Amino acid sequence: MARFLVFLSLALLISSYVLGAAPVDPVSLCIEAALKLDPCLLYIMKGGDGPSPTDACCTGVDILSKLAKSRVDRIVLCYCFKKIFWTLDNEDIHSRVAGLPNKCGISYTMPPTDKTYNCNKISMFSDDEGVVLI
């Protein structure tokens, strides 16, 4: 599954360059983000029917929250996550991904995974609902 995420991350990065939302090293950022969420895949796919997020998953979410240092980083992660999670055909995935920080006790707003969301709308300090990003 990790190889699958890496492949999708690379495809997304190429499209992020076309969209003009590329940080200094978007390939590394997207791949690192995908790898940090790899321990969360069982929870993301199974949700309430499966286990709670593991310690490794929560550690990955915590590290991920520190990767998004700039607006451009947040935009790249948004495109990355949209591409990764929309290829996994499951409607509940979006709410599980968004809820990971809360489940792990981490103050962070995950990038949107909704395919209709315009990632370029992400601001430096808040999301569209006025929630401060940390």
Side-chain angles (χ1 to χ4, degrees):
M1 186 58 94
R3 287 187 211 151
F4 175 71
L5 290 176
V6 171
F7 171 76
L8 291 174
S9 299
L10 291 174
L12 170 71
L13 292 171
I14 292 169
S15 66
S16 70
Y17 277 116
V18 172
L19 296 171
V24 175
D25 191 3
V27 174
S28 295
L29 179 62
C30 196
I31 290 172
E32 186 171 358
L35 292 174
K36 296 302 177 201
L37 286 184
D38 187 55
C40 302
L41 287 179
L42 182 60
Y43 171 76
I44 291 169
M45 296 302 293
K46 300 285 184 184
D49 298 332
S52 295
T54 62
D55 289 342
C57 171
C58 290
T59 298
V61 172
D62 187 45
I63 293 169
L64 180 64
S65 73
K66 296 171 178 128
L67 289 177
K69 296 176 183 171
S70 70
R71 178 178 182 267
V72 174
D73 292 342
R74 289 183 180 94
I75 290 170
V76 168
L77 288 177
C78 178
Y79 281 113
C80 183
F81 287 3
K82 280 175 57 170
K83 191 64 113 177
I84 290 169
F85 294 114
W86 268 99
T87 59
L88 303 175
D89 189 25
N90 185 323
E91 294 177 16
D92 296 326
I93 286 176
H94 311 294
S95 62
R96 289 186 203 128
V97 171
L100 273 172
N102 187 44
K103 289 276 188 182
C104 293
I106 298 167
S107 178
Y108 176 64
T109 301
M110 293 292 276
T113 58
D114 185 300
K115 70 179 177 181
T116 63
Y117 184 82
N118 179 356
C119 293
N120 291 320
K121 290 171 51 176
I122 292 177
S123 72
M124 179 61 189
F125 300 108
S126 64
D127 66 14
D128 291 317
E129 298 170 8
V131 178
V132 174
L133 295 174
I134 299 183

